[in-house]
Amino acid sequence: MSRPLRIIAWTVATLVVLVLALVVFIATFNWNRVKPTLNEKVSAALHRPFAINGNLAVEWGREPDEGGLKAWVPWPHFIAEDISLGNPDWSSTPQMAGLKRIEFRLSPLPLLAQHIVIPRINLTEPTADLQRLKDGRANWTFDMGPKDESTEPSSWVLDIGAIGFDKGKVTLDDATLNTQVEVLIDPLGKPIPFKALAGQTDAAKALEKEGNSAQDYAFGFKASGKYKGLPVKGDGKIGGLLALQDTRQPFPVQVDVTAGDTYAAAVGTLTDPRNLGALDLHLKLSGTSLGNLFPLTGVNLPDSPAYSTDGHLIARLHEASGATFRYEGFNGRIGDSDIHGDLGFAATQPRPKLTGKLVSNQLLFADLAPLIGADSNAEQKARGGASKQPDGKVLPVEEFKTDRWRAMDADVEFSGKRIVKSESLPITDLYTHVVLDDGKLSLEPLRFGVAGGQLNAQVGLNGRSTPLQGQAKLSARGFKLKQLFPTFEPMRTSFGELNGDAQFSGTGNSVAALLGTSNGGVKMLINDGAVSRDLMEIAGLNVGNYVMGKIFGDKEVKINCAAADVGIKDGLASTNLFVFDTENAVIYIDGDANFKTERMDFKVTPESKGFRLFSLRSPLYVRGTFAKPSAGVQTVPLLLRGAGMVALGAVVAPAAGLLALVVPSGDKAPNECRPLLEQMQQGKVPKTVR
C-alpha cells in the first residue's frame, strides 16, 4: 500500500474510532449528571426558571423508514421527563408550562452543514397557563437579553418537521381581550376519518382537487370560559400530528362553539400551521343580530333580526399585507328574508376592509327596520339592543354605533330582488352600494322599485363628526297610482302618477335626532287619482278617514291633482303649498309638523266647486302627536272663497317650483296638474263652476 493510501486509511479509521467512541460515550453516559448545568444555563437564557425534574437520557437507533444512507446511520433519540417552565417575576403564578415527557430524534448528517433537523417531537400530557396583562406583557414572550449588534447571527438553522401530542390542558387569561378560557384535550377512543365529518363540503372538495388528504381526527377538546367578556363554550376534534414543514399534510379541525348569542360550527383544515398559513373550512354561523359579531370578530355589520348562514370560509393568515378571509357562496336567512353571496375581509392597514356582493331573492321590508332602530322594543331586546323606544315616540331614537365606523372600511353591494311588505303598498325591489371610508358612510345609490316607478336616494352620514352629520336626497318618479293602491277599485283604470323630490340635512346620532335638526324640503305631485274613506282605511290613515268623511261623506272622489311644497327648517316642516284639486272642491292644507317634538298642527279648508252645498261649515283641524294625531272641526266659520284668492298670492313661487315635477303625458290622458299650477303661478283661483 502506498504512503498516501496509508494516510487516508489511518485518517478514516481514526474518524470511525472517534465516532464509535462518541456513540459509546453518549450511549453509556449518565445524562442526568448534566441536568443541573443544563437547567441553570436554560434558566439564565430565558430569564425564568426551567427544570428537567425527571430522567434525561439519550438512546441510539437506526431509522429504516428514512431510506438511503440515513437508514444506516444511527440517530440519537433524546428523552426528558417531568419538565417545568416557570413564569416571569411579574406573574402571580409560579409555573407557565409543564410536560410529563418529551421525546425527539435528531438527524446526525445535516449537523455537518450546521443544520439541526428534528423530524418529529412527541409531547406527553402538555400543560400551559398563558397570561397577558393590560399593559401588554405576556408570559409567552421571552426576554432573551440585549442584542449585541456587533455579534454575527448564528449560521445554525433549526427545522422541526412535526409535533405529536397527547392529552393536555391549556388556559388563557388575557386582560387585553378580557378573555379567560380553559381548553382540555383528550385522545378519541378511535380515530375518525376526515371525510366522516367533512363529507362533501367545499373544504373537502378543495382538498381532493389539490390531491392532498387530511389525517384522521385523533383528539377531542372542550373549551369553556369567557371571550371578550362574553361566555364561551365549545368542543371539537383535531388531528394528532401538527405538520410544521409539509404543507401537503393539512391539519384537520372540527369546532362547535357558542360565544354570547353567536353560534359557529366549522369543519375543515389548517395548512402550514408553523406560519399560520391557511384555513379552509365549511362554516355555519348564526345569532340574534349581525351587529353582535363586532366585539367577537372586529367585523362591523349592521344590526339585524336573528340570522343564520352556511358557506365556505377560506383564510390566508400570513399574507404580507395582512390576513385575508373569504366567505364564499354562502346561503342563509336574516329574519324571514333569504340572503346569498360572497364576502371578503382583509386585515389591511390603516384599517381592515370588508367587500362583497349580497343578494336577497325575497326580502321582508320589516327585516330592514333594525338598520335604523325602527323595530319594536321587544325586537331590540331580542337582538341585544341597549336603547328603548319611548312610549308615544314614532321616530327611532336608537343611536347609530358611530364609534365602530372608523374600525373598518367597507365596499358592499346589496340587491333585494323582491321586497315583501303588503299588497296595499308594493315596494318591489331594492339595490344599494354601501361604502364606509374612515367613518364616513354613504349609500349611493339607494334605489327602490315602487309601484312601477323608482325611488332614487343618495344618503351620506359622516361618523367622523360629533354629533353625526347626515344628508339625503330623494327622487320619486313614475309611481303608478293603480299599482300603488292595487286593492282600491277606482284606481284600477287610473293613468295617474306620483312624482316628488326631497332633500334633508341634519345632525344627531339617531333618525329622530337627524330629523329633529333637519333643514330641507319636500315637493310632491299626484295627478289623476281617486280618494275615499275606503282608501284611507287601506292606507291605515284613520285621521284621513275622518277628514274625507267630513268633506265628501262615503263617496269616492276623483282627484285631478294634489300638489305639496313643504319647507323644513331646524326640524319644523311648514307648508308653502299643499292643495288637492278634486272634481267637487279644492282643499287647502296649511300648518306645520315638528320633528323635534313629534307634534303636528294642520288646518284643512275645502272650497266648493259649484252649487253643491257641503254640510261642513267650518275648517277641519289635524293636530296632536305623530303617534296619536286627532282631527276635528274648527270653531270658526268656513272661510269665504275670497280668502282663498288672498292665500294664492303666497303660493306663486311654490307653484312654479312644482311645475318641474309635471312629466309629459305622452299618449295618456292630459296631466291635470299643469293647468292647476299654471293658474296658481299667475295668482289665480283654480277654475270653478258657480
Side-chain angles (χ1 to χ4, degrees):
M1 180 182 296
S2 64
R3 184 174 180 180
L5 289 177
R6 286 199 302 272
I7 293 174
I8 294 173
W10 277 105
T11 302
V12 170
T14 302
L15 288 174
V16 170
V17 170
L18 289 174
V19 169
L20 290 176
L22 179 63
V23 169
V24 171
F25 171 78
I26 292 175
T28 58
F29 182 73
N30 182 3
W31 289 93
N32 288 302
R33 294 172 61 183
V34 304
K35 282 196 307 182
T37 303
L38 180 62
N39 291 344
E40 181 182 350
K41 293 293 185 182
V42 175
S43 297
L46 299 179
H47 294 277
R48 63 178 68 181
F50 171 85
I52 301 174
N53 303 301
N55 185 47
L56 175 63
V58 178
E59 299 176 354
W60 289 83
R62 292 192 302 112
E63 302 291 334
D65 294 336
E66 291 294 327
L69 181 60
K70 291 182 180 180
W72 294 95
V73 176
W75 289 38
H77 290 233
F78 295 85
I79 302 168
E81 296 177 342
D82 191 9
I83 302 170
S84 62
L85 176 62
N87 267 316
D89 295 338
W90 51 259
S91 176
S92 58
T93 56
Q95 183 167 309
M96 170 190 169
L99 276 172
K100 184 176 181 179
R101 177 185 173 97
I102 182 172
E103 180 178 356
F104 64 91
R105 50 196 172 95
L106 182 66
S107 180
L109 294 180
L111 293 173
L112 300 175
Q114 296 183 314
H115 196 178
I116 302 173
V117 176
I118 301 174
R120 175 169 171 170
I121 296 177
N122 289 325
L123 309 177
T124 303
E125 296 189 22
T127 62
D129 293 311
L130 307 178
Q131 302 173 30
R132 182 159 59 180
L133 303 182
K134 286 185 177 181
D135 60 12
R137 286 180 293 173
N139 68 346
W140 59 81
T141 301
F142 294 91
D143 180 12
M144 306 301 289
K147 294 182 178 180
D148 186 352
E149 295 182 0
S150 63
T151 303
E152 291 289 333
S154 174
S155 58
W156 286 85
V157 178
L158 172 65
D159 276 339
I160 300 175
I163 297 178
F165 49 90
D166 197 354
K167 67 178 182 179
K169 175 182 175 182
V170 178
T171 62
L172 171 65
D173 186 355
D174 191 335
T176 65
L177 294 177
N178 190 20
T179 296
Q180 301 84 36
V181 177
E182 179 181 86
V183 181
L184 299 176
I185 303 172
D186 279 306
L188 297 173
K190 181 180 180 181
I192 300 175
F194 174 72
K195 276 198 170 183
L197 298 181
Q200 291 300 311
T201 61
D202 290 334
K205 291 177 181 177
L207 201 61
E208 280 186 19
K209 188 176 181 180
E210 295 173 0
N212 297 336
S213 60
Q215 58 184 280
D216 294 343
Y217 294 98
F219 290 89
F221 71 86
K222 291 184 178 180
S224 61
K226 289 185 176 182
Y227 178 69
K228 294 188 175 181
L230 296 172
V232 63
K233 188 175 183 180
D235 56 55
K237 300 173 183 63
I238 55 177
L241 183 66
L242 199 60
L244 300 182
Q245 296 291 338
D246 191 353
T247 59
R248 296 171 300 175
Q249 294 187 42
F251 186 72
V253 177
Q254 181 268 323
V255 178
D256 286 275
V257 63
T258 300
D261 56 13
T262 300
Y263 169 75
V267 59
T269 60
L270 168 64
T271 305
D272 189 14
R274 182 180 66 169
N275 297 314
L276 288 179
L279 283 169
D280 196 324
L281 304 172
H282 180 81
L283 174 65
K284 294 181 179 180
L285 198 64
S286 61
T288 57
S289 172
L290 289 169
N292 294 342
L293 287 173
F294 179 77
L296 295 171
T297 65
V299 180
N300 186 15
L301 297 174
D303 288 324
S304 74
Y307 69 93
S308 62
T309 64
D310 187 332
H312 185 199
L313 177 67
I314 301 172
R316 299 288 181 263
L317 304 173
H318 203 61
E319 297 292 325
S321 59
T324 62
F325 302 82
R326 300 198 315 274
Y327 196 29
E328 297 181 341
F330 70 84
N331 301 293
R333 302 199 69 81
I334 299 177
D336 292 319
S337 306
D338 65 291
I339 189 74
H340 317 273
D342 302 281
L343 286 174
F345 184 79
T348 52
Q349 294 297 330
R351 292 171 303 280
K353 187 171 184 178
L354 179 72
T355 58
K357 291 186 177 182
L358 305 176
V359 175
S360 176
N361 294 317
Q362 182 161 297
L363 174 65
L364 267 69
F365 202 73
D367 291 334
L368 298 175
L371 296 177
I372 57 172
D375 48 345
S376 68
N377 282 340
E379 290 168 327
Q380 289 181 24
K381 184 177 180 181
R383 61 177 167 85
S387 66
K388 300 288 184 178
Q389 186 72 13
D391 291 337
K393 289 288 187 179
V394 173
L395 301 178
V397 301
E398 185 173 3
E399 294 191 347
F400 300 111
K401 298 180 176 69
T402 54
D403 56 320
R404 299 180 178 182
W405 291 9
R406 303 191 74 172
M408 182 191 83
D409 291 342
D411 189 331
V412 178
E413 295 181 66
F414 175 75
S415 299
K417 292 186 175 181
R418 177 174 179 266
I419 293 181
V420 179
K421 187 179 188 297
S422 69
E423 292 299 324
S424 61
L425 188 59
I427 301 174
T428 54
D429 57 86
L430 161 67
Y431 170 80
T432 189
H433 182 196
V434 181
V435 175
L436 180 61
D437 181 16
D438 193 18
K440 298 181 74 172
L441 176 67
S442 65
L443 288 78
E444 293 188 15
L446 171 59
R447 186 168 61 237
F448 290 91
V450 183
Q454 199 164 86
L455 176 64
N456 288 297
Q458 295 85 41
V459 179
L461 301 173
N462 185 358
R464 297 182 195 173
S465 61
T466 304
L468 174 80
Q469 293 179 348
Q471 58 185 8
K473 291 182 66 176
L474 298 91
S475 174
R477 292 293 184 271
F479 289 13
K480 308 298 186 295
L481 296 183
K482 61 184 176 182
Q483 296 183 36
L484 198 59
F485 300 103
T487 61
F488 185 52
E489 188 64 32
M491 214 80 84
R492 296 277 180 93
T493 58
S494 170
F495 289 103
E497 291 184 351
L498 181 153
N499 296 293
D501 289 325
Q503 62 179 22
F504 307 91
S505 63
T507 58
N509 281 20
S510 68
V511 172
L514 286 168
L515 290 176
T517 59
S518 62
N519 296 283
V522 179
K523 293 180 172 65
M524 182 180 67
L525 280 185
I526 299 175
N527 74 285
D528 187 20
V531 68
S532 76
R533 295 180 68 176
D534 290 342
L535 180 58
M536 296 297 103
E537 290 179 1
I538 290 172
L541 302 176
N542 294 329
V543 170
N545 187 340
Y546 173 85
V547 171
M548 295 309 300
K550 280 292 183 182
I551 298 176
F552 299 112
D554 294 328
K555 287 191 59 178
E556 294 160 356
V557 180
K558 184 179 185 299
I559 296 178
N560 299 320
C561 178
D565 184 329
V566 179
I568 305 173
K569 185 174 182 180
D570 195 23
L572 183 66
S574 304
T575 57
N576 298 320
L577 171 64
F578 203 155
V579 60
F580 285 81
D581 180 28
T582 75
E583 59 184 348
N584 295 323
V586 178
I587 304 169
Y588 297 98
I589 300 175
D590 182 52
D592 53 55
N594 193 323
F595 292 116
K596 195 172 297 183
T597 61
E598 293 198 11
R599 298 193 67 85
M600 66 178 75
D601 189 354
F602 291 102
K603 182 172 66 175
V604 181
T605 307
E607 292 190 8
S608 176
K609 287 183 177 181
F611 298 104
R612 173 178 176 143
L613 297 177
F614 284 101
S615 60
L616 184 63
R617 286 292 177 264
S618 296
L620 300 176
Y621 68 80
V622 177
R623 63 173 65 110
T625 64
F626 291 1
K628 292 183 178 180
S630 61
V633 180
Q634 295 274 22
T635 57
V636 298
L638 184 65
L639 297 179
L640 299 177
R641 289 173 54 82
M645 292 280 290
V646 177
L648 283 172
V651 299
V652 171
L658 286 167
L659 277 169
L661 294 177
V662 178
V663 296
S665 298
D667 296 331
K668 303 174 186 176
N671 193 302
E672 298 286 348
C673 283
R674 182 176 292 279
L676 173 69
L677 295 173
E678 286 176 345
Q679 289 180 62
M680 288 185 171
Q681 187 182 12
Q682 297 169 16
K684 299 177 180 179
V685 181
K687 291 180 180 180
T688 60
V689 179
R690 291 186 179 275

